[in-house]
Amino acid sequence: MDREVRIVSYILILLADSNLPTGSFVASSGLESYFKHGFGSPSSGIEATLEFVQNSLESYARSASGFVRDAHEVVVRFVDGERAVRLEDTLAKLGELDSLYEAMTLNHVARRASTAQGIALLTLYTKGFTNPYGLANDANSNSVVNMDNFVVEMKLRIRHGKLNGHLPICWAVLTATLGLPAERSIWLHLFLHARALLSASVRLNAIGPYASQQLLLHSVRPLVDEQVKRCAHLHTGLGEEMKDTADDGDALPASTWPLGEILAARHDLQHSRIFNS
Amino acid sequence: MPERRACPTSTSASFSELSYSYPLKLLSPPSHADAPGPVRIVYVLSYGGGLVGGDKIELDVEVQEGARLVLLTQGSTKVFRARDPSNRTQQHLHANVHAHSLLLLLPDPITPYAESYYSQVQTFTLHPSASAIILDWFTSGRAARGEVWALGKYRSANEVFVQGKRVVRDVLLLEQGELGRRMQPYACYANVFLFGPLVQGVLRALKERYEKIEQMQRSKPDEFVWSLSILGKAEKGRNGEGGDGAVVRCTGRETEMVRLWLKDALSGASEVVGRDVYDKAFV
């Protein structure tokens, strides 16, 4: 393995750790509400969970992967020091993507979960991934600019309400900063979305922990691969008017599961609940 | 390119321009006596009540200062099977809603037939003091022929700008491929966007209704389900002038359930356009 492949593999292993404090363990992305509203029954836990994972993953991939891709590209340009891209311009561009994602995420429960997990990822970086010895160019980094300051500045702006800090944007910042290529980043993001749903299903007692592993190995992989393939051409269309030609319109973010939207937005109406979304 | 304008005087509104061409038709009945302001209705009609592949409707709407415009249809818009999937049926609406004016867009639902290919883009530019209720809904198809979620492709995009700031870009994309499994047991889905000072009464009533819900464990899905999200941040761009915006989403096992619910849930709008006018919607 050459050095780059080894670094990427190592970063993938780190980020795939289910103990990472990213706040995803309090999110069910609507699964709890889905069960509460009578979709799926205790006897059909595996089937219902898989149905939900498929629909949720498809809709999330369609909505978010263009944002991860575009934000990742913005950060990579800055990290590479390409044509002296300034921090201010980079944050402004991320801010535009973040605002567009906000305008596309109207469900208040999803907004809350997305921004909570977004800032958690930036905190994970500043507290967990920065180099404690203050070495500018360490073994894990190709960066010619100081990304620690960048992430700190981004967090500050979120705290001051100048940015929302949505999950796909912050995920792109984290992964681009750590040197994970865009397509790997999207692939891992979608995998983690699916895995978080399975963990939620285990906590909700709909499936057992062994079934969860079986699903991850045999059922989730083709689902994630399929979505990565389907979404390979998606971009946010930021700055463009909404086009409507057969080619362009379909490359823009969209949700694909209206029922999931309704049920996820009703999360807070549940008489009792264990998740935040 | 058809265009219509409603200009207010104190109590009545008139059209400075109302033009259209095939396959679109715009009809404007005389104004109503009980209207509490300068209210006018326009029916947006298509010949034969349906659209075929390649049909492209472009509608530009200007609601001038203080005017109140209600856009309706007469029966659902049928989208027929397309021989060539790349030749979609398209509808584009752009509405400019000026100061202190109101737009109620309360059409009948879109009915996409089996193997139809449909795409619509609706853009609304709102002055901070303007108000709007925007209803966008669709059904599972031609139930009488046993067509349930058999459409080829359906795309609907709604974008709302308030004071130049994009506050909504809501895009739904449905494609064939186990679509029925994802959409059932429901046969009709609706989205409603509400903005501005004149819809605050409707919004208050919706909030009260929503906050009373306490969702207990169900053994099977309800016949009808709805959600309400307040878009509080839209308010900040308005200096508090317009109040909260909101999005309502709902679905039901039958189109009729959704229609009746919407008519009731939005009935507060009759206070700003008059009962006679409101009763022309959701019939």
Side-chain angles (χ1 to χ4, degrees), chain B residues 172-194:
Chain B
L172 174 70
L173 179 66
L174 303 177
E175 291 172 291
Q176 203 37 258
E178 302 185 345
L179 182 63
R181 237 178 61 194
R182 203 156 67 233
M183 305 297 281
Q184 281 171 354
Y186 302 111
C188 176
Y189 285 84
N191 294 315
V192 189
F193 305 91
L194 304 103

Side-chain angles (χ1 to χ4, degrees), chain B residues 13-207:
Chain B
S14 64
F15 299 101
S16 55
E17 189 185 350
L18 190 64
S19 61
Y20 53 86
S21 62
Y22 181 86
L24 182 69
K25 198 171 178 181
L26 301 176
L27 278 183
S28 173
S31 52
H32 288 262
D34 82 326
V39 180
R40 292 296 294 265
I41 296 175
V42 167
Y43 284 97
V44 181
L45 310 172
S46 53
Y47 282 89
L51 299 168
V52 299
D55 277 348
K56 187 172 179 181
I57 305 277
E58 293 271 356
L59 182 59
D60 282 325
V61 176
E62 294 279 339
V63 190
Q64 301 290 1
E65 186 166 347
R68 297 178 186 184
L69 174 66
V70 183
L71 286 179
L72 303 173
T73 56
Q74 288 180 335
S76 78
T77 301
K78 299 158 193 72
V79 184
F80 297 112
R81 175 195 305 262
R83 287 198 186 90
D84 172 10
S86 67
N87 203 18
R88 292 191 205 184
T89 304
Q90 293 178 303
Q91 291 210 78
H92 296 173
L93 167 68
H94 181 262
N96 208 351
V97 191
H98 293 264
H100 308 291
S101 64
L102 168 75
L103 172 66
L104 292 192
L105 177 60
L106 301 175
D108 292 286
I110 304 283
T111 299
Y113 280 19
E115 288 168 61
S116 62
Y117 289 79
Y118 179 78
S119 178
Q120 70 174 27
V121 175
Q122 307 192 118
T123 309
F124 305 87
T125 308
L126 269 57
H127 184 275
S129 65
S131 304
I133 298 180
I134 299 154
L135 167 64
D136 178 21
W137 56 325
F138 56 96
T139 73
S140 59
R142 195 162 33 163
R145 288 277 199 93
E147 292 178 7
V148 182
W149 300 120
L151 60 91
K153 190 173 235 173
Y154 177 93
R155 181 173 180 267
S156 175
N158 290 291
E159 195 159 37
V160 180
F161 292 88
V162 177
Q163 214 169 18
K165 185 184 187 303
R166 182 194 290 117
V167 293
V168 169
R169 182 186 272 189
D170 197 53
V171 185
L172 174 70
L173 179 66
L174 303 177
E175 291 172 291
Q176 203 37 258
E178 302 185 345
L179 182 63
R181 237 178 61 194
R182 203 156 67 233
M183 305 297 281
Q184 281 171 354
Y186 302 111
C188 176
Y189 285 84
N191 294 315
V192 189
F193 305 91
L194 304 103
F195 285 97
L198 292 179
V199 309
Q200 293 305 307
V202 176
L203 192 46
R204 262 195 306 279
L206 283 167
K207 273 187 205 165

Side-chain angles (χ1 to χ4, degrees), chain A residues 32-236:
Chain A
E32 185 174 18
S33 182
Y34 179 79
F35 286 139
K36 192 67 60 70
H37 283 85
F39 293 86
S41 63
S43 60
S44 68
I46 290 180
E47 199 184 318
T49 299
L50 202 53
E51 176 84 24
F52 186 92
V53 169
Q54 184 165 355
N55 293 332
S56 170
L57 184 68
E58 182 179 330
S59 200
Y60 185 69
R62 268 277 168 189
S63 310
S65 50
F67 284 91
V68 175
R69 182 172 291 111
D70 287 6
H72 190 280
E73 190 188 328
V74 169
V75 179
V76 163
R77 278 202 202 129
F78 180 69
V79 171
D80 289 350
E82 183 190 302
R83 277 179 269 124
V85 181
R86 296 187 313 131
L87 178 138
E88 201 53 48
D89 298 338
T90 305
L91 282 173
K93 202 77 196 164
L94 289 179
E96 286 175 43
L97 289 168
D98 189 51
S99 297
L100 182 59
Y101 193 77
E102 172 94 352
M104 298 199 74
T105 309
L106 303 176
N107 163 0
H108 58 291
V109 176
R111 269 188 184 181
R112 189 176 66 207
S114 175
T115 51
Q117 291 180 74
I119 189 106
L121 288 178
L122 299 185
T123 301
L124 172 67
Y125 179 82
T126 56
K127 290 193 176 170
F129 290 151
T130 46
N131 188 326
Y133 310 111
L135 299 172
N137 288 306
D138 64 54
N140 293 310
S141 172
N142 294 319
S143 178
V144 295
V145 294
N146 187 334
M147 284 308 288
D148 298 359
N149 292 345
F150 182 92
V151 176
V152 168
E153 177 62 25
M154 196 169 162
K155 278 181 69 182
L156 210 60
R157 291 187 189 200
I158 293 170
R159 197 170 309 136
H160 292 161
K162 290 173 187 160
L163 282 174
N164 303 298
H166 278 292
L167 177 61
I169 313 296
C170 295
W171 174 259
V173 170
L174 176 72
T175 53
T177 300
L178 293 173
L180 207 59
E183 296 315 303
R184 292 275 92 180
S185 169
I186 292 169
W187 176 75
L188 180 58
H189 194 50
L190 298 183
F191 166 77
L192 291 176
H193 179 84
R195 194 187 60 188
L197 292 176
L198 289 178
S199 307
S201 186
V202 172
R203 278 188 74 189
L204 289 164
N205 263 332
I207 58 173
Y210 291 122
S212 169
Q213 289 304 319
Q214 282 180 317
L215 289 175
L216 266 183
L217 180 60
H218 300 290
S219 307
V220 167
R221 198 177 73 164
L223 292 181
V224 171
D225 285 346
E226 187 193 335
Q227 291 314 315
V228 167
K229 208 167 129 196
R230 280 175 72 123
C231 297
H233 65 296
L234 296 192
H235 59 94
T236 59

Side-chain angles (χ1 to χ4, degrees), chain B residues 133 192 194 201-203 205-206 209 224 226 248 250 258-269 278 282:
Chain B
I133 298 180
V192 189
L194 304 103
V202 176
L203 192 46
L206 283 167
R209 197 188 276 230
F224 175 89
W226 69 293
V248 173
C250 61
V258 179
R259 186 191 305 276
L260 290 173
W261 187 87
L262 287 170
K263 180 164 192 171
D264 181 48
L266 303 177
S267 63
Y278 188 75
F282 303 112

